[in-house]
């Protein structure tokens, strides 16, 4: 996909290969289609393409096909409800239009992403977590699965959250995905906590054959609660997705996180190698974090400028 976005050369990109050689050329805007042909995640296609098309010569429309709610990747709901509002703090906007949802193993989903290039990205500061003001989400079923499954996931998640968060109304909507907007069968849940300073945290889970609905709901609730305990201002999945943007931005970005994940360490390693950005990761010294596992990730961005604007 990236090869096509920039008329580049790509060698060794086949199954079993241990080395690839990529030579990029000019990043051009316009309409691009990428199809995983499986339930391979459209959200991962979006992750890899977005930093590139921000520095394209004209606006882009990316037609991404595959799994929208797939294992081992962000669900499209996470991308739209958590990643999007936070990443837009870097100073750009994008539109994410879910045409069709697709699930494991067939995929068949389609998402259209539209965005305009920027001259430069602004740095961000996400260190003030604030207090949780609302918790909401959606529990969905698609295809032949009964609506009761969505209701059971939502109810189990609410019960689990109630044990720790007693003073907030938890609003998780059960949803039957319309037949014309979902390909195949699937079920899952995403729950989001929003804070007084605009921070967003999520927990999510996907149903699997033989796993009861309550268990799926509880797994998502427990993931959210774990992300609320550590005192960071981003959840464990957002932390690694912000690294590339911090590296490219102009100026110093700071984010407060919980324990730094291996994904984030890897993203930092490659951002330093490839972009020559400088990162530091330190334990948070705030008094209220003394008992918590909180870290400050700081980056001196390279101030990438778009040569075409």
């Amino acid at each position: 996909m990236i090869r096509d976005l920039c008329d580049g050369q790509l060698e060794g990109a086949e199954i079993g290969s241990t080395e690839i050689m990529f030579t990029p050329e000019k990043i051009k805007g316009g309409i691009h289609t990428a199809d995983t042909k499986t339930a391979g995640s459209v959200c991962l296609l979006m992750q890899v393409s977005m930093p590139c098309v921000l520095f394209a010569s004209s606006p882009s429309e990316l037609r991404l096909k595959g799994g929208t709610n797939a294992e081992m990747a962000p669900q499209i709901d996470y991308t739209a409800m958590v990643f999007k509002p936070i990443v837009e703090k870097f100073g750009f906007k994008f539109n994410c239009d879910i045409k069709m949802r697709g699930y494991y193993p067939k995929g068949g989903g389609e998402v259209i992403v539209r965005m305009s290039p920027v001259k430069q990205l602004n740095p961000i500061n996400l260190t003030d977590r604030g207090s949780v003001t609302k918790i909401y989400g959606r529990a969905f079923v698609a295809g032949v699965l009964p609506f009761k499954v969505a209701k059971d996931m939502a109810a189990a998640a609410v019960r689990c959250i109630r044990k720790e968060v007693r003073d907030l109304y938890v609003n998780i909507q059960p949803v039957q995905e319309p037949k014309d907007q979902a390909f195949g069968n699937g079920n899952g849940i995403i729950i989001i906590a929003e804070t007084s300073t605009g921070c967003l945290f999520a927990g999510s889970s996907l149903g699997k054959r033989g796993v009861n609905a309550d268990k799926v709901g509880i797994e998502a609730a427990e993931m959210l609660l774990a992300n609320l305990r550590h005192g960071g201002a981003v959840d464990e999945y957002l932390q690694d997705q912000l690294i590339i943007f911090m590296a490219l931005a102009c100026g110093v970005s700071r984010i407060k996180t919980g324990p730094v994940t291996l994904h984030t360490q890897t993203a930092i390693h490659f951002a330093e190698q490839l972009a020559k950005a400088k990162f530091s990761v330190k334990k948070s010294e705030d008094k209220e974090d003394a008992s918590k596992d909180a870290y400050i990730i700081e980056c001196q961005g390279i101030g990438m400028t778009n040569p075409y604007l």
Side-chain angles (χ1 to χ4, degrees), residues 42-51 54 74-90 92 94 96 113 115 124 126 190 192 198-202 234-235 237-245:
V42 296
C43 300
L44 295 183
L45 289 175
M46 199 187 299
Q47 267 183 30
V48 72
S49 55
M50 194 173 277
L54 278 172
Q75 294 192 49
I76 190 65
D77 309 271
Y78 182 93
T79 298
M81 296 161 80
V82 178
F83 173 75
K84 181 182 189 298
I86 302 295
V87 84
E88 285 181 344
K89 293 179 189 290
F90 285 100
F92 66 92
F94 71 95
C96 180
V113 178
M115 59 195 301
I124 60 165
L126 291 176
I190 178 162
I192 292 167
C199 296
L200 296 165
F201 301 82
V234 297
D235 68 29
Y237 298 107
L238 196 60
Q239 54 168 268
D240 67 269
Q241 294 180 52
L242 297 178
I243 296 300
I244 178 78
F245 299 98

Side-chain angles (χ1 to χ4, degrees), residues 167-182:
D167 51 347
L168 283 178
Y169 174 61
V170 181
N171 178 18
I172 303 174
Q173 292 290 326
V175 180
Q176 172 78 56
E177 300 289 8
K179 286 274 187 283
D180 60 345
Q181 287 167 32

Side-chain angles (χ1 to χ4, degrees), residues 12-33:
E14 54 267 334
I15 291 172
S17 167
T18 57
E19 192 174 302
I20 61 169
M21 177 102 163
F22 174 54
T23 314
E25 295 291 338
K26 176 181 173 176
I27 306 171
K28 55 194 197 317
I31 297 173
H32 299 279
T33 300

Side-chain angles (χ1 to χ4, degrees), residues 208-237:
K208 296 181 200 63
R209 188 164 292 177
V211 176
N212 80 16
D214 284 24
K215 197 168 174 193
V216 180
I218 289 166
E219 184 176 75
E222 286 181 339
M223 185 190 291
L224 176 67
L225 290 169
N227 274 308
L228 291 176
R229 285 184 205 119
H230 58 55
V234 297
D235 68 29
E236 62 187 302
Y237 298 107

Side-chain angles (χ1 to χ4, degrees), residues 276-296:
K276 303 287 184 270
K278 291 278 178 282
F279 283 85
S280 72
V281 180
K282 296 190 176 79
K283 195 104 169 65
S284 171
E285 288 165 5
D286 289 357
K287 289 189 178 55
E288 73 265 21
D289 295 329
S291 61
K292 294 178 174 160
D293 218 4
Y295 295 83
I296 301 285

Side-chain angles (χ1 to χ4, degrees), residues 1 34 42 45-46 49 62-66 109-113:
M1 179 185 183
V42 296
L45 289 175
M46 199 187 299
S49 55
L62 308 174
R63 298 180 177 179
L64 310 176
K65 300 176 182 183
E110 182 177 13
V111 173
I112 297 181
V113 178

